[in-house]
């Protein structure tokens, strides 16, 4: 009975250990273009500075290898082109049994199954990590066929208090969603879009009328390929311009009046000064009121 119980315990322990090492493992989810840290920590937390561990993707691609201080780029070759210059380890954590790696600037192609393998440990240990890279809406023109180029914006009509704007999205597939937005990202009311399909590509035209001065954006989105692109236009309505000109004119007029008054005061003061000088020249006795002239003192 004792032997059977011990055997069951051993089998159960083996199953749990096997699942921990070779099962689904850890799932890491990151956004595209961000960095991903794939964890790998041996249970004993022993120093692995002088040991070897190997990272593979889908059990085939060489991601990263470390052996006694050497790794890809410092003594090893053969790293898959997909990961060159983008993978690093945590050197200061090796003494704690930490063999985690960081993949920089993740791409959709980085999604998949990763294995962290310690081939020389007894027993051999393997840790599995699932990396999921989530797509972001961003400009993928030139990267994906059918991704819309920058929308073309034109001003069809403008008065002192409104402007009619038109946005054209050309040669896009799949069909893009086109919207007008203000500077804060609010969607603007617009006319029914005009959609034309030519040889498998979509041409979309969307018009909107704005009544305020500001910056406006036409946005084209293709969710199926995670592509989004936009163009902007700055609208300066005549009403706003007239108000600015009026304020400037009022300020200029006020300044001109102030200058004219100042010139008038200066002219009056100058005239009074000249008249006083003339009187003194014509009547020397009044040149220094209250004091007798030097000539009269001599005569006395």
């Amino acid at each position: 009975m004792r032997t059977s119980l011990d055997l069951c315990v051993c089998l159960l322990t083996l199953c749990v250990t096997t699942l921990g090492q070779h099962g689904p493992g850890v799932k890491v989810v990151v956004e595209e273009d961000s960095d991903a840290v794939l964890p790998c920590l041996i249970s004993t937390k022993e120093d692995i500075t002088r040991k070897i561990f190997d990272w593979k993707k889908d059990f085939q691609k060489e991601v990263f290898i470390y052996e006694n201080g050497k790794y890809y780029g410092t003594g090893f070759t053969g790293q898959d082109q997909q990961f060159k210059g983008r993978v690093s380890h945590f050197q200061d954590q090796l003494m704690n049994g930490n063999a985690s790696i960081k993949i920089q600037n993740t791409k959709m192609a980085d999604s998949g199954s990763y294995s962290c393998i310690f081939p020389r440990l007894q027993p051999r240990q393997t840790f599995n990590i699932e990396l999921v890279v989530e797509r972001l809406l961003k400009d993928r023109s030139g990267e994906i066929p059918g991704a819309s180029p920058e929308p073309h914006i034109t001003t069809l009509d403008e008065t002192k208090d409104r402007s009619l704007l038109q946005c054209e999205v050309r040669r896009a597939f799949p069909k893009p969603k086109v919207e007008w937005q203000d500077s804060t990202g609010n969607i603007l009311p617009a006319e029914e879009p005009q959609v034309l399909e030519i040889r498998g590509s979509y041409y979309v035209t969307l018009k909107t009328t704005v009544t305020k001065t500001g910056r406006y954006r036409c946005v084209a989105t293709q969710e199926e390929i995670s592509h989004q692109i936009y163009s902007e236009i700055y609208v300066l309505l005549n009403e706003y311009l007239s108000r600015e000109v009026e304020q400037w004119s009022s300020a200029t007029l006020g300044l001109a009046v102030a200058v004219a008054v100042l010139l008038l005061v200066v002219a009056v003061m100058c005239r009074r000064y000249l008249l006083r000088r003339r009187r003194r020249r014509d009547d020397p006795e009044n040149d220094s009121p209250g004091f007798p002239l030097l000539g009269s003192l001599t005569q006395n």
Side-chain angles (χ1 to χ4, degrees):
M1 177 66 68
R2 179 69 177 175
T3 304
S4 300
L5 181 59
D6 291 343
L7 179 60
C8 290
V9 171
C10 290
L11 289 175
L12 180 60
T13 303
L14 178 61
C15 289
V16 172
T17 303
T18 302
L19 286 175
Q21 294 177 353
H22 304 283
V26 178
K27 184 176 183 179
V28 177
V29 181
V30 297
E31 291 184 342
E32 190 176 11
D33 296 332
S34 64
D35 296 344
V37 175
L38 305 187
C40 180
L41 181 67
I42 60 175
S43 57
T44 58
K45 296 184 179 181
E46 62 183 284
D47 188 355
I48 57 174
T49 304
R50 298 186 178 277
K51 298 189 180 298
I52 179 174
F53 58 88
D54 186 15
W55 279 89
K56 294 182 181 293
K57 181 179 184 295
D58 301 327
F59 302 101
Q60 295 178 346
K61 292 184 178 181
E62 286 291 342
V63 179
F64 185 84
I65 191 170
Y66 175 94
E67 182 177 6
N68 194 20
K70 295 181 180 180
Y71 46 90
Y72 287 130
T74 62
F76 287 115
T77 60
Q79 186 179 30
D80 192 275
Q81 187 66 35
Q82 176 182 344
F83 300 100
K84 283 188 176 181
R86 299 172 51 222
V87 183
S88 59
H89 68 298
F90 300 90
Q91 180 67 34
D92 58 342
Q93 292 296 315
L94 295 179
M95 63 181 65
N96 301 319
N98 190 345
S100 302
I101 58 172
K102 179 171 69 174
I103 303 177
Q104 298 177 329
N105 193 26
T106 56
K107 307 298 180 183
M108 294 300 302
D110 294 332
S111 294
S113 299
Y114 290 77
S115 300
C116 174
I117 307 167
F118 290 88
R120 296 180 183 173
L121 288 183
Q122 296 298 328
R124 172 190 173 105
Q125 294 189 33
T126 300
F127 302 87
N128 297 320
I129 295 90
E130 183 74 17
L131 175 62
V132 178
V133 181
E134 297 182 336
R135 277 188 182 271
L136 291 178
L137 280 175
K138 68 175 187 176
D139 182 3
R140 300 179 188 274
S141 56
E143 174 186 342
I144 299 179
S148 167
E150 285 189 9
H152 179 67
I153 297 177
T154 53
T155 301
L156 299 181
D157 185 30
E158 188 173 86
T159 66
K160 66 176 184 178
D161 56 2
R162 69 173 182 82
S163 182
L164 177 59
L165 306 177
Q166 175 177 281
C167 173
E168 295 179 274
V169 177
R170 306 166 182 171
R171 302 184 304 277
F173 182 84
K175 185 172 74 172
K177 178 182 179 182
V178 183
E179 296 174 327
W180 276 103
Q181 298 178 0
D182 61 16
S183 58
T184 59
N186 296 318
I187 299 176
L188 303 178
E191 299 180 8
E192 189 69 21
Q194 302 173 14
V195 182
L196 183 63
E197 183 180 0
I198 302 177
R199 299 175 184 175
S201 294
Y202 288 91
Y203 295 73
V204 182
T205 302
L206 186 65
K207 300 176 183 178
T208 188
T209 300
V210 298
T211 57
K212 295 181 180 179
T213 293
R215 190 172 299 278
Y216 296 93
R217 174 182 297 184
C218 178
V219 183
T221 305
Q222 294 166 283
E223 292 278 0
E224 297 88 343
I225 57 175
S226 301
H227 172 61
Q228 187 174 80
I229 193 170
Y230 65 86
S231 293
E232 289 186 337
I233 185 173
Y234 185 78
V235 176
L236 181 63
L237 295 180
N238 292 333
E239 180 184 20
Y240 177 83
L241 182 61
S242 299
R243 186 166 59 252
E244 290 293 310
V245 171
E246 181 180 351
Q247 293 175 354
W248 180 83
S249 299
S250 298
T252 304
L253 179 60
L255 179 61
V257 171
V259 172
V261 171
L262 179 61
L263 291 176
L264 180 60
V265 172
V266 172
V268 171
M269 293 179 65
C270 288
R271 185 173 183 276
R272 293 179 62 182
Y273 175 76
L274 292 175
L275 289 174
R276 183 180 299 174
R277 289 292 302 271
R278 185 180 300 172
R279 291 194 190 103
R280 290 176 179 175
R281 187 173 60 250
D282 296 341
D283 188 5
E285 294 184 358
N286 295 329
D287 188 47
S288 300
F291 295 93
L293 294 177
L294 179 61
S296 60
L297 291 174
T298 304
Q299 292 177 1
N300 291 337

